[in-house]
Amino acid sequence: MNEPPARHPIALKKVVYEIPGMASAVVRRDVPYRTAGEATVTMDLYYPSAAASGATWPATVAVLGYPPREPNPLGCAFKEMEWSVSWGRLMAASGIVAIFYTNRNPEADLRTLLGHIRDHAESLGIDRRRVGLFATSGSGPLALSTVIAERGDLACAALCYPLTLDAGGSTAVAESAAKWGFVNPTAGKSASDLPRDVPLFVARAGQDEFPRLNEALDRFVADTMARDLPMTMVNHAGAPHAFDLVDDSDATREIIRQLLRFLQFHLRV
């Protein structure tokens, strides 16, 4: 019998914030959302403990902007990381169905997943009119391109320490995508392509160590503000990338609370 691969230490880290109700979240694991030949892709759904048959809830999809790699450097699927599990339980305890998933093709599978959620909203217990996105790091470009493509079909999007899009001749995001392997479907896009009715939340890591990430992010925020788009931005001064995992501080916990309140407000929890 083959032993399961050892998990990378980062896959064992939990979000540095907990709230009552997390442990009682109702979890549906490995629910298929697409089957094509031998390639079945699945999702894990985290429901509030009060979820009952016939009720519908708002939902947030945690965007996965990286294709699978073999061997998997994490030692587990993205949706099985302790980070994913703890964020899933945080959102469920906040009255939101959280969805984490596997993929084969990041862009196509996210479109399929969103379509599946809308087509099967009743059986999933989800209100198709109250669906948002959540993305961090290299999943930012896919989240933003989806906001642009889906336009009014999404209620909101929350981004933490995200790669965003290149503007003004910059190649910062394109270079990071080539180095780290995430998809970059925002190539050629700008803040002017964003819909005016999808509110965005952006949490910036003040001392993000990823080269030029904040350079692109600051330009993106400035361009978005210049167009008077619905944007909430918070700067976590002095914080590193992935601060929700590695910066165990009151400031980190307050930013996580702000993000959850943003989702609750715009998803009408």
Side-chain angles (χ1 to χ4, degrees):
M1 181 180 295
N2 293 329
E3 292 292 326
R7 293 194 178 197
H8 189 283
I10 197 68
L12 300 174
K13 282 185 170 290
K14 299 180 180 181
V15 176
V16 298
Y17 180 55
E18 294 183 352
I19 59 176
M22 290 176 65
S24 57
V26 178
V27 187
R28 294 177 60 186
R29 299 195 186 279
D30 298 321
V31 178
Y33 69 88
R34 179 178 66 80
T35 301
E38 296 180 359
T40 298
V41 283
T42 64
M43 57 182 171
D44 292 350
L45 301 96
Y46 294 78
Y47 291 85
S49 60
S53 177
T56 58
W57 297 81
T60 298
V61 175
V63 175
L64 177 54
Y66 296 80
R69 291 171 56 187
E70 293 296 340
N72 184 343
L74 293 174
C76 65
F78 164 75
K79 69 184 183 68
E80 295 166 357
M81 294 175 61
E82 291 300 322
W83 176 89
S84 301
V85 173
S86 49
W87 265 114
R89 291 186 177 278
L90 270 170
M91 290 184 186
S94 302
I96 300 164
V97 179
I99 301 172
F100 293 78
Y101 62 99
T102 62
N103 70 9
R104 305 300 297 175
N105 180 305
E107 294 178 67
D109 286 344
L110 180 54
R111 288 194 301 270
T112 298
L113 174 62
L114 290 171
H116 181 90
I117 291 168
R118 292 177 184 127
D119 291 344
H120 299 84
E122 184 175 354
S123 63
L124 292 171
I126 290 171
D127 184 345
R128 67 188 308 278
R129 300 163 300 177
R130 294 187 289 162
V131 176
L133 300 180
F134 170 58
T136 64
S137 193
S139 295
L142 179 55
L144 289 173
S145 71
T146 304
V147 168
I148 292 169
E150 297 279 328
R151 307 197 75 78
D153 287 334
L154 291 170
C156 60
L159 312 176
C160 280
Y161 42 88
L163 276 299
T164 50
L165 50 81
D166 285 322
S170 173
T171 59
V173 176
E175 291 170 10
S176 291
K179 181 175 181 179
W180 300 107
F182 59 84
V183 296
N184 183 27
T186 57
K189 301 292 185 181
S190 71
S192 62
D193 294 302
L194 290 166
R196 303 197 67 85
D197 58 350
V198 181
L200 300 177
F201 178 96
V202 175
R204 179 184 187 272
Q207 294 298 315
D208 203 302
E209 61 272 33
F210 277 68
R212 305 181 69 193
L213 185 153
N214 278 348
E215 172 191 317
L217 177 57
D218 293 348
R219 178 65 179 267
F220 171 75
V221 170
D223 288 349
T224 302
M225 295 293 191
R227 289 164 175 78
D228 195 25
L229 298 179
M231 159 80 76
T232 299
M233 199 282 282
V234 57
N235 181 53
H236 192 344
H241 195 77
F243 55 75
D244 53 334
L245 285 181
V246 300
D247 184 62
D248 189 359
S249 68
D250 288 341
T252 293
R253 286 183 280 277
E254 175 55 26
I255 288 173
I256 295 171
R257 284 192 290 267
Q258 289 180 49
L259 186 152
L260 292 170
R261 287 195 295 267
F262 170 89
L263 290 175
Q264 289 174 319
F265 179 79
H266 291 289
L267 295 174
R268 306 192 307 279
V269 175

